[in-house]
Amino acid sequence: MNKKIKSLLGAVLSLTLLLAGCSAPAESAESSTDKLNVVATTTMLADLAIEIGGERITANGLMGPGIDPHLYQASAGDVSLMQKADVVLYNGLHLEGKMGEIFENLSTQGSTVICIENGLDESMLLAWENDSSVHDPHIWFDVSLWKQAAKTVTDGLTQADPKGKADYEANLEAYLEELDETDTYIRNRVTELSESQRVLVTAHDAFQYFGKAYGFEVRGLQGISTDAEAGTSDVSALADFIAERQIKAIFVESSVPPKTIEALQAAVKAKGFDVAIGGELYSDSLGGADSGAETYILTVKANIDTIVNALK
Ligand SMILES: [Zn+2]
């Protein structure tokens, strides 16, 4: 595990250096290795690439911990990294809301482009708010959907590097087992809450798949994207809901500024009920260095621990 974390952090660090020093530093980073060069948009996907790719790949994540993918604008350095990559890995479902055109152009340029959206069972996808023609992109909080993502990454890496097929498949098999254990861990912790305690209020609507998979009613202050701000009427309606249902705790998210949830807490107080801030959930990125949540599995475990400990 430590090795994995180190290689993920190393990837993020070397990327940061690349972006920070703009004067053509790329040569040393890429020429010295015959490993498959994978560039992933989010921290979740960089982690997944390392899990499946193992020693055969290097993974660079464009977005670091705490970065909001809905609002992320690719820099010129990012585009250059993607153009040089053997494999580009992204979520799709409009998660990377400002990067759509970049992926379209990339797929015509010879690198293997893996879009997680394409490998998902469509019947499991949730609508984006009330628009059934668009889907909620936050699929990673249902572990069974992340297993589908792992298979998509395995297929994509195999396509880019057919010699690695047996390695990728063995890594997939081991990882699916770990994901099953993680799913069981989540379900066991949920049983510590009564049904009426299973209500999750967060900064934005990132947890609908989580709610559906694990039996929580979920409310986000902002919508599915952080692109639009919550209005005062949204705050007031959600404050009513919390006060009426006497919900013990609401949650800050690591990739959304805490002020929105603090405003909600104040609005609940004005209605005569005290709701606690139950801690910080990782929503659209994994935890950073030394957070104890540097991988996908550690992140989803940290989240369920935070949720259950605050609500029970
Ligand atoms: Zn989100």
Side-chain angles (χ1 to χ4, degrees):
M1 185 64 77
N2 273 339
K3 207 163 131 205
K4 255 181 272 172
I5 291 170
K6 269 188 206 146
S7 97
L8 179 61
L9 291 178
V12 172
L13 186 66
S14 67
L15 180 72
T16 313
L17 293 175
L18 277 178
L19 297 182
C22 338
S23 51
E27 288 159 42
S28 60
E30 270 134 336
S31 56
S32 61
T33 172
D34 54 2
K35 293 185 177 191
L36 202 65
N37 170 15
V38 179
V39 171
T41 54
T42 66
T43 47
M44 291 76 79
L45 290 172
D47 178 62
L48 183 54
I50 291 166
E51 290 290 353
I52 305 300
E55 298 293 314
R56 296 189 69 89
I57 70 155
T58 58
N60 283 318
L62 296 183
M63 305 175 197
I67 299 296
D68 180 344
H70 303 287
L71 304 179
Y72 187 82
Q73 308 255 16
S75 67
D78 291 345
V79 174
S80 159
L81 273 177
M82 287 188 276
Q83 282 167 343
K84 288 180 197 145
D86 300 310
V87 175
V88 173
L89 174 57
Y90 74 107
N91 189 82
L93 298 168
H94 303 285
L95 176 71
E96 301 92 342
K98 317 272 186 209
M99 294 176 70
E101 274 181 32
I102 296 174
F103 302 129
E104 278 166 34
N105 294 335
L106 271 178
S107 41
T108 60
Q109 286 179 9
S111 43
T112 301
V113 179
I114 308 175
C115 174
I116 294 302
E117 173 181 355
N118 295 338
L120 297 171
D121 172 357
E122 217 183 317
S123 70
M124 289 177 71
L125 297 182
L126 301 174
W128 182 302
E129 284 153 13
N130 297 320
D131 183 349
S132 59
S133 68
V134 196
H135 294 115
D136 181 341
H138 303 92
I139 53 104
W140 49 95
F141 288 129
D142 175 344
V143 175
S144 69
L145 283 167
W146 203 239
K147 287 168 69 178
Q148 296 178 15
K151 287 172 192 161
T152 303
V153 169
T154 305
D155 291 346
L157 292 181
T158 303
Q159 188 190 325
D161 170 30
K163 284 186 193 151
K165 187 174 197 285
D167 285 347
Y168 299 137
E169 283 177 357
N171 291 344
L172 172 68
E173 201 177 322
Y175 193 53
L176 292 179
E177 231 169 82
E178 284 186 58
L179 290 176
D180 282 336
E181 285 164 17
T182 304
D183 189 72
T184 303
Y185 179 86
I186 295 172
R187 289 179 194 284
N188 284 339
R189 289 244 50 195
V190 171
T191 62
E192 296 174 39
L193 299 176
S194 70
E195 297 227 340
S196 65
Q197 287 175 318
R198 296 175 194 175
V199 184
L200 183 61
V201 179
T202 61
H204 90 297
D205 234 340
F207 292 91
Q208 294 294 346
Y209 289 101
F210 168 85
K212 186 166 180 241
Y214 304 107
F216 280 75
E217 186 174 347
V218 174
R219 299 288 175 100
L221 182 55
Q222 284 172 280
I224 282 179
S225 172
T226 51
D227 215 355
E229 283 206 17
T232 47
S233 63
D234 301 325
V235 175
S236 180
L238 194 50
D240 279 336
F241 172 80
I242 293 163
E244 270 163 35
R245 298 280 292 271
Q246 309 214 331
I247 293 164
K248 264 178 91 173
I250 56 181
F251 298 90
V252 174
E253 291 176 28
S254 59
S255 53
V256 181
K259 64 178 195 297
T260 56
I261 281 296
E262 288 160 6
L264 178 62
Q265 186 187 34
V268 175
K269 196 170 178 60
K271 293 178 195 288
F273 182 73
D274 272 326
V275 66
I277 291 186
E280 183 180 86
L281 301 180
Y282 301 104
S283 53
D284 292 359
S285 91
L286 306 181
D290 301 324
S291 64
E294 297 89 342
T295 67
Y296 169 80
I297 286 178
L298 290 173
T299 287
V300 294
K301 284 184 171 173
N303 275 356
I304 195 64
D305 288 343
T306 301
I307 292 167
V308 171
N309 294 344
L311 292 179
K312 78 175 178 184

